[in-house]
C-alpha cells in the first residue's frame, strides 16, 4: 500500500495511507489529509490512484505543488521515493514492495532500503508564511493604494448619532401616547 510520509521537521512522522482512489490534501479539516500550515492552501492538491501510478493533481494552490523540485501545473506522476512539496511542507511517497518484491513476512529479514532518490532541485521558495505579497501578483510593480478614503470616526459623530436616536425615540413615544389618549377619549 502506498503512503505519504511528511519529511518537514515540524510535522515529521505524520503520514497518510493512500487506500482510496482519491485523497485530498489541504489546510482545512474537510480534506482526507489535513496539513495545518499557512503555506498549504485550504484545498491544495489531490492524489489519484490510477492503476500502478500515483497521480498528483494541483487544485489551484497559491504556493504550488512540486515533485522533486519540478512544479506541476495540472498533474504529475509521483514515484516511490520521490519528494512532493506543498508550499513549505515536504512529503515522500513510500510503498511496500516498491521494487516489485513482496513485503517481507513476519520474522524474516527486512528488505533492503530502496536507493536514495536524487536530491531535489532547489528552487527559490516563494511560499510565505503570511501568504502572497501584492507585488507578487502585480508582476513586481509597486501598487499605490489611496488610504485617504478610509478615515477613523470621530467620537463626536457617535455622540450625534445617539442624541438623534434618543430624540427620535422620544418623538415616537409621544406620538403613540397621543394616539392612545385620542382612542380612549372617543
Amino acid at each position: 500500500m502506498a503512503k505519504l510520509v511528511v519529511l518537514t521537521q515540524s510535522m515529521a512522522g505524520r503520514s497518510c495511507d493512500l487506500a482510496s482512489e482519491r485523497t485530498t490534501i489541504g489546510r482545512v479539516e474537510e480534506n482526507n489529509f489535513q496539513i495545518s500550515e499557512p503555506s498549504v492552501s485550504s484545498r491544495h492538491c489531490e492524489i489519484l490512484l490510477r492503476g500502478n501510478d500515483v497521480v498528483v493533481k494541483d487544485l489551484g494552490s497559491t504556493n504550488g505543488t512540486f515533485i522533486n523540485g519540478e512544479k506541476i501545473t495540472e498533474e504529475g506522476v509521483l514515484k516511490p521515493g520521490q519528494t512532493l512539496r506543498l508550499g513549505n511542507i515536504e512529503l515522500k511517497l513510500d510503498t511496500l514492495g516498491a521494487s516489485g518484491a513482496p513485503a517481507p513476512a513476519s520474522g524474516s529479514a527486512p528488505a533492503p532500503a530502496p536507493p536514495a532518490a536524487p536530491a531535489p532541485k532547489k528552487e527559490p521558495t516563494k511560499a510565505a508564511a503570511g501568504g502572497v505579497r501584492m507585488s507578487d501578483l502585480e508582476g513586481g510593480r509597486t501598487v499605490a493604494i489611496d488610504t485617504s478614503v478610509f478615515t477613523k470616526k470621530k467620537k463626536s459623530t457617535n455622540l450625534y448619532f445617539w442624541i438623534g436616536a434618543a430624540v427620535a425615540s422620544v418623538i415616537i413615544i409621544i406620538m403613540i401616547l397621543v394616539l392612545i389618549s385620542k382612542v380612549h377619549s372617543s
Side-chain angles (χ1 to χ4, degrees), residues 71-142:
K71 184 172 185 172
I72 60 170
T73 53
E74 291 183 22
E75 59 181 48
V77 177
L78 181 65
K79 299 192 183 313
Q82 287 187 322
T83 303
L84 173 66
R85 181 165 53 92
L86 312 175
N88 291 331
I89 302 296
E90 287 193 345
L91 305 103
K92 183 176 84 171
L93 178 64
D94 277 348
T95 57
L96 294 177
S99 61
S106 59
S108 65
K121 295 177 190 173
K122 291 297 178 188
E123 183 173 311
T125 303
K126 286 193 170 188
V132 178
R133 293 184 307 268
M134 190 68 158
S135 61
D136 291 341
L137 297 175
E138 295 293 326
R141 69 175 190 224
T142 305

Side-chain angles (χ1 to χ4, degrees), residues 164-181:
V167 169
S169 298
V170 169
I171 292 172
I172 291 172
I173 291 172
I174 291 172
M175 290 175 64
I176 291 172
L177 291 175
V178 169
L179 284 174
I180 291 174
S181 66

Side-chain angles (χ1 to χ4, degrees), residues 11 14 26-29 33-40 89:
M11 297 182 182
R14 288 194 58 206
R27 194 177 63 243
V28 295
E29 288 181 25
F33 188 39
Q34 180 186 11
I35 300 176
S36 299
E37 210 279 337
S39 67
V40 175
I89 302 296

Side-chain angles (χ1 to χ4, degrees), residues 3-81:
K3 71 176 179 176
L4 287 173
V5 179
V6 178
L7 300 176
T8 304
Q9 189 172 8
S10 63
M11 297 182 182
R14 288 194 58 206
S15 65
C16 174
D17 290 330
L18 302 176
S20 65
E21 289 183 17
R22 181 178 172 268
T23 303
T24 58
I25 302 175
R27 194 177 63 243
V28 295
E29 288 181 25
E30 62 198 37
N31 291 290
N32 302 107
F33 188 39
Q34 180 186 11
I35 300 176
S36 299
E37 210 279 337
S39 67
V40 175
S41 293
S42 55
R43 286 184 34 84
H44 200 100
C45 69
E46 66 182 359
I47 309 296
L48 306 166
L49 299 181
R50 293 185 185 154
N52 291 332
D53 289 339
V54 176
V55 178
V56 180
K57 182 177 179 183
D58 185 76
L59 298 175
S61 63
T62 302
N63 293 317
T65 302
F66 299 82
I67 296 177
N68 273 3
E70 302 274 334
K71 184 172 185 172
I72 60 170
T73 53
E74 291 183 22
E75 59 181 48
V77 177
L78 181 65
K79 299 192 183 313

Side-chain angles (χ1 to χ4, degrees), residues 151-161:
T151 58
K152 187 175 180 181
K153 285 186 178 180
K154 296 178 182 174
K155 288 185 180 181
S156 62
T157 305
N158 286 337
L159 179 64
Y160 294 138
F161 171 78

